[in-house]
């Protein structure tokens, strides 16, 4: 069993409109945009990162806003919901706030002893706010949401699969332990994790397959401290039979990727070097930052990208 993985690093999804996406996460959810850059493989598309004050691992939601992308279809073989941790007692505030902002899909419920609030993102994304006792990670206090009610970071994600056996085995290998079960959902967690350390696995044998598009999670990334730990994880996964990519430099972290049983794409990302490597912490996410291989195209890229109004 691996010990290097401490929970989530980031979750990356797809959207249809950059401005709408930016407004939702910064103005409605009150997160900080910690990086404005582009898709490494499609530099005419933004890659937007939202999180806490510094973009700490376990707090960062990232998006590829592809203009004219088709809408995703919910189903099996995907991350169904991204779950954010909020302070105990804050859900009434959030129900009022999200309702006043016209957010759809609001639904209060309880799961595994936690009060939760479901809602949809602009593209039908599945989100949950969960009251988590004892989460001491500070929320961003520079936005429209008071820090006392703000988002701490991720609590985890919920995956929906037709068959959970192989995924449960993989999660166990990655250091997650089964904690509890309610109906079709089994909760896994990393002991001593980073706070973003819960995976709920929902098994629905008869579910239709998901189709990726706007509102779909593209991949979920798990956090390791450094490149040495990442290489250890890569070797262990390959020795187990997984086809893992070489290490890829993503400027703010190093990444490896592999496809899991059931189809969900996993990434393992390093906590270093972080989002302040090319911007002062006080000004994170303000300027358009380009990967060095695309810097010579800056003029062309800036003409193509629609400016985002903050």
């Amino acid at each position: 069993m691996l010990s290097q993985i401490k929970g989530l690093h980031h979750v990356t999804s797809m959207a249809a409109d950059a401005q709408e996406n930016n407004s939702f996460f910064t103005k409605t959810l009150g997160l900080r945009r910690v990086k404005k850059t582009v898709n490494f493989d499609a530099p005419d598309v933004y890659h937007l990162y939202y999180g806490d004050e510094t973009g700490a691992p376990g707090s960062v939601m990232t998006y590829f806003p592809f203009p004219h992308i088709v809408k995703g279809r919910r189903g099996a073989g995907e991350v169904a919901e991204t779950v954010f941790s909020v302070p105990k007692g804050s859900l009434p505030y959030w129900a009022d706030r999200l309702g006043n902002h016209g957010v759809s899909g609001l639904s209060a419920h309880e799961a595994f002893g936690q009060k939760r609030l479901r809602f949809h993102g602009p593209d039908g994304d599945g989100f949950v706010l969960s009251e988590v006792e004892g989460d001491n990670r500070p929320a961003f206090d520079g936005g429209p949401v008071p820090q006392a009610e703000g988002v701490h970071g991720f609590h985890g994600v919920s995956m929906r699969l037709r068959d959970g056996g192989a995924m449960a085995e993989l999660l166990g290998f990655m250091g997650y332990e089964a904690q509890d079960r309610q109906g079709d959902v089994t909760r896994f967690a990393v002991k001593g994790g980073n706070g973003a350390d819960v995976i709920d696995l929902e098994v629905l044998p008869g579910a239709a397959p998901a189709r990726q598009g706007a509102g779909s999670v593209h991949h979920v990334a798990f956090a390791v401290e450094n490149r040495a730990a990442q290489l250890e994880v890569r070797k262990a996964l390959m020795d187990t039979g997984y086809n893992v990519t070489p290490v890829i430099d993503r400027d703010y972290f190093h990444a490896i990727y592999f496809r899991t049983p059931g189809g969900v794409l996993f990434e393992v990302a390093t906590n270093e070097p972080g989002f302040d490597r090319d911007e002062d912490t006080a000004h994170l996410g303000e300027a358009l930052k380009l990967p060095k291989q695309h810097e010579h195209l800056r003029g062309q890229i800036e003409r193509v990208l629609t400016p985002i109004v903050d």
Side-chain angles (χ1 to χ4, degrees), residues 1-9 57 171-176 190-194 197 221-237 256 267-271:
M1 183 175 73
L2 297 173
S3 60
Q4 298 90 340
I5 293 170
K6 302 304 180 185
L8 299 184
H9 185 282
L171 290 174
F173 182 70
M174 292 172 62
Y176 283 78
V190 175
K191 287 186 177 178
N194 64 1
D197 44 26
F222 296 82
V224 293
E225 189 61 34
N226 51 41
R227 295 187 67 184
Q230 184 183 62
L231 290 175
E232 293 170 357
V233 171
R234 182 175 186 270
K235 182 179 186 303
L237 288 167
I256 57 175
E267 174 184 345
V268 179
T270 59
N271 290 349

Side-chain angles (χ1 to χ4, degrees), residues 31 33 180 208 253 287 298:
L31 302 182
R33 192 181 69 215
D180 199 356
F253 48 87
R298 176 172 288 274

Side-chain angles (χ1 to χ4, degrees), residues 18-270:
Q19 181 65 62
E20 183 180 47
N21 182 261
N22 182 84
S23 296
F24 180 78
F25 281 94
T26 61
K27 292 180 168 54
T28 302
L29 289 188
L31 302 182
R32 185 184 192 187
R33 192 181 69 215
V34 295
K35 197 62 59 180
K36 180 171 65 172
T37 182
V38 296
N39 186 319
F40 272 57
D41 302 315
D44 58 337
V45 173
Y46 280 116
H47 193 178
L48 304 175
Y49 294 74
Y50 312 98
D52 65 7
E53 178 78 23
T54 62
S59 77
V60 180
M61 189 84 207
T62 98
Y63 270 87
F64 300 130
F66 289 97
H68 314 300
I69 189 175
V70 300
K71 191 169 184 176
R73 180 182 64 205
R74 302 278 75 84
E78 68 170 352
V79 173
E81 292 179 322
T82 302
V83 184
F84 295 101
S85 169
V86 294
K88 198 168 180 63
S90 66
L91 286 189
Y93 166 86
W94 280 106
D96 287 344
R97 179 176 183 81
L98 297 180
N100 290 336
H101 279 76
V103 173
S104 65
L106 289 173
S107 174
H109 66 288
E110 289 195 20
F112 299 102
Q114 296 171 334
K115 293 182 178 180
R116 291 155 52 106
L117 181 66
R118 280 196 171 99
F119 62 101
H120 296 154
D123 294 289
D125 326 49
F127 291 121
V128 175
L129 297 176
S130 182
E131 290 189 353
V132 181
E133 192 167 10
D135 189 341
N136 296 317
R137 294 175 293 169
F140 177 51
D141 65 352
V145 175
Q147 190 174 38
E149 283 83 27
V151 173
H152 293 299
F154 297 123
H155 184 47
V157 295
S158 172
M159 293 187 290
R160 184 180 295 128
L161 302 177
R162 286 179 170 177
D163 185 338
M167 179 63 83
E169 184 176 344
L170 171 61
L171 290 174
F173 182 70
M174 292 172 62
Y176 283 78
E177 299 179 10
Q179 301 289 309
D180 199 356
R181 182 173 180 175
Q182 291 185 1
D184 298 323
V185 181
T186 303
R187 170 156 290 190
F188 296 82
V190 175
K191 287 186 177 178
N194 64 1
D197 44 26
V198 169
I199 303 289
D200 289 340
L201 184 58
E202 183 180 16
V203 178
L204 297 173
R211 182 190 67 195
Q212 284 208 334
S216 300
V217 171
H218 184 271
H219 63 268
V220 56
F222 296 82
V224 293
E225 189 61 34
N226 51 41
R227 295 187 67 184
Q230 184 183 62
L231 290 175
E232 293 170 357
V233 171
R234 182 175 186 270
K235 182 179 186 303
L237 288 167
M238 293 181 68
D239 288 347
T240 308
Y242 285 94
N243 183 18
V244 186
T245 67
V247 176
I248 302 172
D249 184 354
R250 295 302 193 197
D251 284 355
Y252 311 108
F253 48 87
H254 289 80
I256 57 175
Y257 303 86
F258 65 104
R259 188 70 64 177
T260 66
V264 181
L265 181 63
F266 277 8
E267 174 184 345
V268 179
T270 59

